[in-house]
Amino acid sequence: MKRLIYSISASALMVLMALSSCKKTAGPDPEKPDPKPPVVVDEERRREAIVWVDARSNVFGTYGRLSDTAMIKTTLDTLKDVGVTGLVLDLKGSSGYTMYPSSYSPQVTSQDGKSIPAGVDYAGYFIKEAKKRNFKVYASIVTFVEGETSKARGKVFEDAQWRDQYQSVVCDVNGNRVPVTGTGKNGFVNPAILQFKSVH
């Protein structure tokens, strides 16, 4: 009888040991977050290639290639040939001036000895030619900056109201409250003040 009990006990112990050595199926661990879902790549977006068209470098820079309408066409054709699908067009820089006619801001037509051809709407022409080649076009504008300190131009340098009332005030290295251009930075304006002035 004892042998039978020992035999059953030994068998039961072996079965328990065998079961404990089996791999358990991993269930969700409440202490650990679920793994991130796999990233689904949009094949259409994967094929996008976008080029930045900087106004200062490409229109008014050393070569000023894109101040010429023929060169704009040639450049866009080349970009199309190498697989570019879109452009980011620089249309408003730190001076606050625009690369297109505007009733709110002066238009940049010349800089550093280079000029846009007279009578040419640079932005309109560029966008029209880009669309002919099926490019997506994105506009780049600098917001809340209305003065380029390096050239001392823009509304905060040319308009006393913008300089004295709308320009942002910051603390300098000594803790003094000064206009932002007084620290050598570009002329940021305070949108809260502009909004308040326009409402009242």
Side-chain angles (χ1 to χ4, degrees):
M1 187 67 176
K2 285 184 180 180
R3 282 185 185 174
L4 181 60
I5 292 172
Y6 286 139
S7 177
I8 292 172
S9 297
S11 299
L13 185 60
M14 287 172 42
V15 168
L16 287 173
M17 288 175 65
L19 288 174
S20 66
S21 67
C22 292
K23 285 188 176 179
K24 295 180 181 177
T25 305
D29 186 344
E31 298 296 321
K32 295 180 181 177
D34 290 338
K36 292 181 180 179
V39 177
V40 178
V41 178
D42 182 342
E43 290 300 324
E44 188 64 30
R45 289 186 67 83
R46 184 198 289 272
R47 291 194 293 270
E48 286 188 354
I50 299 175
V51 166
W52 175 276
V53 184
D54 182 73
R56 175 173 287 177
S57 302
N58 298 307
V59 180
F60 304 116
T62 305
Y63 301 105
R65 288 189 175 99
L66 299 184
S67 62
D68 177 75
T69 53
M71 275 306 297
I72 289 175
K73 288 182 176 181
T74 300
T75 301
L76 290 175
D77 286 339
T78 302
L79 293 174
K80 182 73 175 177
D81 288 345
V82 298
V84 169
T85 60
L87 309 170
V88 177
L89 197 56
D90 183 14
L91 295 179
K92 179 179 178 286
S94 299
S95 66
Y97 297 165
T98 59
M99 293 295 293
Y100 54 89
S102 169
S103 57
Y104 298 99
S105 175
Q107 180 184 6
V108 181
T109 56
S110 62
Q111 182 176 306
D112 300 329
K114 300 290 191 304
S115 298
I116 294 173
V120 173
D121 174 4
Y122 166 82
Y125 184 83
F126 213 112
I127 292 169
K128 181 182 73 175
E129 290 298 322
K131 291 293 186 181
K132 285 181 183 177
R133 293 157 179 79
N134 296 316
F135 285 124
K136 291 181 181 178
V137 182
Y138 305 91
S140 168
I141 61 170
V142 175
T143 57
F144 306 134
V145 184
E146 296 291 338
E148 185 178 8
T149 299
S150 64
K151 294 184 179 294
R153 65 178 186 167
K155 286 184 178 179
V156 298
F157 293 104
E158 299 156 9
D159 185 315
Q161 185 177 27
W162 283 75
R163 181 189 68 231
D164 300 333
Q165 295 181 33
Y166 300 154
Q167 184 176 182
S168 292
V169 173
V170 298
C171 288
D172 65 13
V173 293
N174 299 313
N176 301 312
R177 289 168 54 83
V178 297
V180 66
T181 52
T183 65
K185 305 298 182 184
N186 285 332
F188 281 80
V189 293
N190 189 327
I193 296 173
L194 291 171
Q195 179 66 24
F196 179 79
K197 292 288 184 183
S198 67
V199 170
H200 293 80

